[in-house]
Amino acid sequence: MSGHRTLDDMGDIAGKRVLVREDLNVPMDGATVTDDTRLRAAAPTVAELADRGAIVLVLAHFGRPKGEKRADMSLAQVTRPFSDVLGRDVAFIGDCAGDEAAAAVARLAPGDIAVLENTRFHAGEEKNDPALVAAMAKLGDLYVNDAFSAAHRAHASTEGLAHVLPSFAGRSMEAELAALETALGKPEHPVAAVVGGAKVSSKLDVLTHLVTRVDHLIIGGGMANTFLAARGVDVGKSLCEHDLAATAESILDAADRANCTVHLPYDVVVAREFRANPPTRTVNVHEVAADEMILDIGPAATEALADVLKNCRTLVWNGPLGAFETPPFDTATVSLARTAAALTREGSIVSVAGGGDTVAALNQAGAAGDFSFVSTAGGAFLEWMEGKELPGVKALER
Ligand code: ADP
Ligand code: MG
């Protein structure tokens, strides 16, 4: 993380054309942005560059047009909402490369902001095509990457440009990298990781990497069932990947060798039907009936996990502990999230969380605001938890 130049290293940028890669891929319902988190994350860098007199050219993708121009995936529709979030005028330019775009850029004045059309309208974007990289680079003098959430992809606008223009990390990228470094780069020990969610198969690399990095690995959600089954527990009709028993065993062995304590629940909340507020039972994991499903970890396990967190200095969290969308199976997730939030407020832990459903669950618990850092990057956050080098980040390194 040490090797990135930031906006502080750009010097005098008055009158310079700065290409800024942002994540503007917001969910929309008609003309309305239903969650503007990403627009708010992009705003500080764009505003700072404009205030410093740059001509700010925002690059971003929107949806998956796969190299085709599609009106329903035009960034024109995000320009107005972004302008509202910024509280400034934002122009729209109908291409991110080419002569027409160049002519439109030439009409902008220092301090102006423009959103350029969806980079993925060009097939070369996802191919990281040097010809597209060169064409985009012609529009700017400097490059800023502020989209951590797109940094796990080596695309023209997320990786290629960093090789041909002087490149810098934006404020949002900088904050994200600093938080991740604090949590898993050089964390204060003991470190606890909570890994939940539906399936072990989707997070195998995460688990394998984490056992070598953390002191406590807390496994919840559907994936705990796979581990319990591997240990001979009858999990009834629970979501469970029985074919991954050997893999689960090898992760437990690796944890053992690395002195990482793995925490599996010893009580669970079960139901016969998966719907809101069905009849439930709270039982020891050895008492699950053949026709029951484990849908949350139990109160005794949750309390024990709270005690684990109380003795840790760092927490990294991905994946809910239960089927949190369906009440009352959000109970353990909400409770442990609130414990983590309180410990963070007291200054006793640094807490970092990420993942689409995780963020939703933390919001549901009213805990997200108290975490030290909540990453909105889904795929990039997971790849970082897997210990992978993100191409968009690596390209910024000097
Ligand atoms: P994230 O998006 O934060 O990475 P995941 O997508 O891996 O998280 O997992 C979230 C999903 O896991 C949720 O939809 C949740 O309902 C589901 N889940 C958690 N626990 C269980 C369980 N015991 N049984 C079935 N589904 C579960
Ligand atoms: Mg998810």
Side-chain angles (χ1 to χ4, degrees), residues 185-210:
K186 291 193 178 65
E188 263 195 69
H189 287 267
V191 182
V194 172
V195 184
K199 288 182 168 181
V200 172
S201 52
S202 64
K203 294 183 183 174
L204 267 182
D205 293 341
V206 172
L207 293 167
T208 307
H209 179 64
L210 285 179

Side-chain angles (χ1 to χ4, degrees), residues 14-15 40 53 61-62 76 85 88-89 118 139 166 179 202 219 236 252 265-267 271 285-286 293 320 357 362 377:
R40 285 186 284 111
H61 75 276
F62 191 61
V85 166
R88 300 162 188 244
D89 288 340
N118 197 341
L139 301 181
S202 64
I219 302 177
L252 294 174
Y266 39 80
D267 64 337
V285 291
H286 295 289
M293 282 170 281
D357 293 296
L362 295 186

